[in-house]
């Protein structure tokens, strides 16, 4: 019995140990499973989400660029229909994402999202709407051109502009009502949606740039062939069949005048959507809105007048250049010389104006605005990045002027124009960035370096000394004392602490509006066909036709983007001063 009982106890202990072991392993598995579920259920790290979505967007861009490069070959294996089908698919995916986003927002209307007030001011959205309307007109012309040639072209040439028009209308609606949203829900999914929209617009921009560059290169070849320089084979720009409508020629010729506006529309949309992507998951710094004192005496005369004069002159130069560059070699040389002379004058004036604005900032020493602002950061980076294209053209021109064998009459004016263009962009970039990152000192703002009252009979009256607000702002009582101390200051000393004199602000406003109009002028010239880099022959003699054409196809779109982005930034500067 004893042994039997001992055996039973041993058997029972063995069984209980086994049961305990299995239950503990089961608990361990449950714990691991719950931990895994918890880790998967947690919010995806913001930086990882940004990197993952950015990699997706970059690879999407590279796929599209690969198709465009294959299409640019003389005997392409990739046809235009394939590229348009790819772009159409991307636009449809973006439309689906925007629809899902709007539906979710409508379902949560009772919980409005946080909004970034610094993103997409009303005038930016108004300008984008105008560019979108011109893009819709271009789509209508493309559809009309397709209808005329539908018997011998692919249906994709009609589907693409129709989808692009729908995409443009939907995107403008989205930008008007949702671009300021700071997304805090479904962040990873929304990052992919926004970055898809960013790179879809970049690909549409690249496609428009490639089409416009091909048209400009064909025009250049025609001019060289007409003057007897080379015997180029120009690719036909129209299908090899008769148009069933009498308006086909009007449609095809008008497309290239509307293409620059479509290009600017897509690059602006990309920038706005990129700011929205950067705002996802961001914690906004709630600051009181900046109060601007009333500006006494409106003296905005000199800047707008000089700007309008520059714009009218640029249009005149554009018309004369386009007419004479098609004529004899002498007329062509005189047209190029006229362009460089006009460019030297306007660039010198812009450099002086920008330097004067920087001097005012140095004298006034306005405080820096250090608040986080993704839109402003992107503006500064885009200014520098888009300057690279024009700087590359400038230094290539400097090398060509110094070592090219032909010596035309405009040789040294080309050198002066190139060097002034480098200087003007440097000065203008400094002025814009300085303006965006400065804020005016308000009359009631306490300063840490406020002067003391003038001494009376050699005695300094410490009652009129201003306290250091950076130290006193820790106490509510001292904050009130800081402001009340300024109110009790003598009138003569209070005048010293007033905001910048109004005449200096008026000078800055005139500078901003003058540079605004000048940048429009310098955008109009190359956008509508005034491109002496194609026609002067100096750069081609040094770099060769194919190399120089490649450089121009890369640098000119960036230069146009710089001018239009400068227009937007200078308008913001004018509004802020």
């Amino acid at each position: 019995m004893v042994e039997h009982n001992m055996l039973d106890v041993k058997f029972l202990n063995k069984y209980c140990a086994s049961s305990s072991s299995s239950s503990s392993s089961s608990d361990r598995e449950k714990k691991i499973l719950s931990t895994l579920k918890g880790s998967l259920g947690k919010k995806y790290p913001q930086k990882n989400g940004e990197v993952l979505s950015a990699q997706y967007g970059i690879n999407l861009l590279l796929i599209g660029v690969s198709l465009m490069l294959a299409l640019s070959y003389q005997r392409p294996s990739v046809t235009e229909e394939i590229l348009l089908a790819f772009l159409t698919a991307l636009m449809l995916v973006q439309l689906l994402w925007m629809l899902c986003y709007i539906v979710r927002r409508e379902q949560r209307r009772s919980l409005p999202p946080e909004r970034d007030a610094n993103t997409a001011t009303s005038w930016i959205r108004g300008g984008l709407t105008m560019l979108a309307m011109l893009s819709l007109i271009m789509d209508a012309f493309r559809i009309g051109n397709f209808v005329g040639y539908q018997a011998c072209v692919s249906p994709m040439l009609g589907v693409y502009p129709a989808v692009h028009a729908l995409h443009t209308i939907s995107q403008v609606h989205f930008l008007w009502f949702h671009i300021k949203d700071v997304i805090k829900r479904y962040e990873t999914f929304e990052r992919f949606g926004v970055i898809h929209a960013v790179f879809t617009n970049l690909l549409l921009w690249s496609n428009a740039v490639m089409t416009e560059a091909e048209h400009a290169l064909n025009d250049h070849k025609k001019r060289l062939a007409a003057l007897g320089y080379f015997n180029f084979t120009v690719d036909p720009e129209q299908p090899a069949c008769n148009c069933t409508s009498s308006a086909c020629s009007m449609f095809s010729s008008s497309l290239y005048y509307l293409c620059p506006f479509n290009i600017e529309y897509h690059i602006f949309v990309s920038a706005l959507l990129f700011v929205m992507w950067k705002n996802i998951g961001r914690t906004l710094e709630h600051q009181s809105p900046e109060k601007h004192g009333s500006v006494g005496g409106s003296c905005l005369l000199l800047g707008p007048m000089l700007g309008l004069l520059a714009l009218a002159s640029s249009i005149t130069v554009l018309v004369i250049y386009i007419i004479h560059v098609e004529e004899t070699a002498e007329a062509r040389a005189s047209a190029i010389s006229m362009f460089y002379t006009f460019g030297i004058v306007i660039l010198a004036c812009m450099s002086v104006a920008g330097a004067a604005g920087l001097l005012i900032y140095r004298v006034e020493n306005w405080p820096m605005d250090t608040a986080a602002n993704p839109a402003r950061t992107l503006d500064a980076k885009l200014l520098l990045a888009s300057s690279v294209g024009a700087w590359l053209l400038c230094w290539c021109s400097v090398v060509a002027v110094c070592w090219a064998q032909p010596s035309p009459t405009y040789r040294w004016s080309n050198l002066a124009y190139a060097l002034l263009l480098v200087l003007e962009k440097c000065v203008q970039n400094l002025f814009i960035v300085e303006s965006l990152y400065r804020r005016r000192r308000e009359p009631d703002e306490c300063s840490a370096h406020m002067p003391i009252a003038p001494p009376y009979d050699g005695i300094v009256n410490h009652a009129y000394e201003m306290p250091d607000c950076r130290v006193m702002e820790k106490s509510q009582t001292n904050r009130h004392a800081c402001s009340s101390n300024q109110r009790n200051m003598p009138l003569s000393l209070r005048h010293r602490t007033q905001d910048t004199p109004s005449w200096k602000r008026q000078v800055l406003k005139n500078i901003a509006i003058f540079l605004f109009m000048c940048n429009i002028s310098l955008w109009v010239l190359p956008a509508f066909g005034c491109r002496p880099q194609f026609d002067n022959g100096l750069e081609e003699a040094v770099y060769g036709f194919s190399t120089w054409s490649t450089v121009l196809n890369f640098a000119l779109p960036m230069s146009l983007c710089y001018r239009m982005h400068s227009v937007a930034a200078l308008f913001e500067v004018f509004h802020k001063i």
Side-chain angles (χ1 to χ4, degrees), residues 364 366 498-506:
E364 288 305 310
W366 287 359
Q498 290 296 317
D499 193 13
T500 305
S502 61
W503 71 268
K504 291 184 180 179
R505 293 203 303 271
Q506 292 297 330

Side-chain angles (χ1 to χ4, degrees), residues 21 34 45 86 137 144 146 170 196 254 270 289 326 405 479 493 503 520:
S21 175
S34 62
F86 177 71
I137 295 173
F146 165 75
S170 304
H196 178 90
S254 300
S270 299
E326 303 283 351
Q405 292 302 322
R479 276 201 299 268
L493 180 57
W503 71 268
I520 293 178

Side-chain angles (χ1 to χ4, degrees), residues 102-118:
I102 293 172
V103 168
R104 283 199 304 273
R105 282 297 175 207
E106 289 297 321
Q107 291 174 349
R108 296 171 54 84
R109 186 182 296 181
S110 59
L111 296 174
E114 292 185 71
R115 295 174 70 81
D116 183 4
N118 296 315

Side-chain angles (χ1 to χ4, degrees), residues 226-254:
L227 293 172
Y229 288 109
F230 298 100
N231 185 17
F232 285 109
T233 301
V234 180
D235 298 328
E237 297 180 356
Q238 293 297 334
C241 63
N242 294 326
C243 179
T244 58
S245 172
S246 59
C248 285
S249 59
M250 186 269 290
F251 288 150
S252 60
S253 60
S254 300

Side-chain angles (χ1 to χ4, degrees), residues 94 98 167-175 201 265 269 273:
Q94 183 185 342
M98 289 190 296
H167 177 265
T168 300
I169 296 171
S170 304
Q171 189 164 244
V172 169
H173 174 272
F174 181 84
L175 293 173
N201 280 276
Y265 163 74
V269 171
L273 289 169

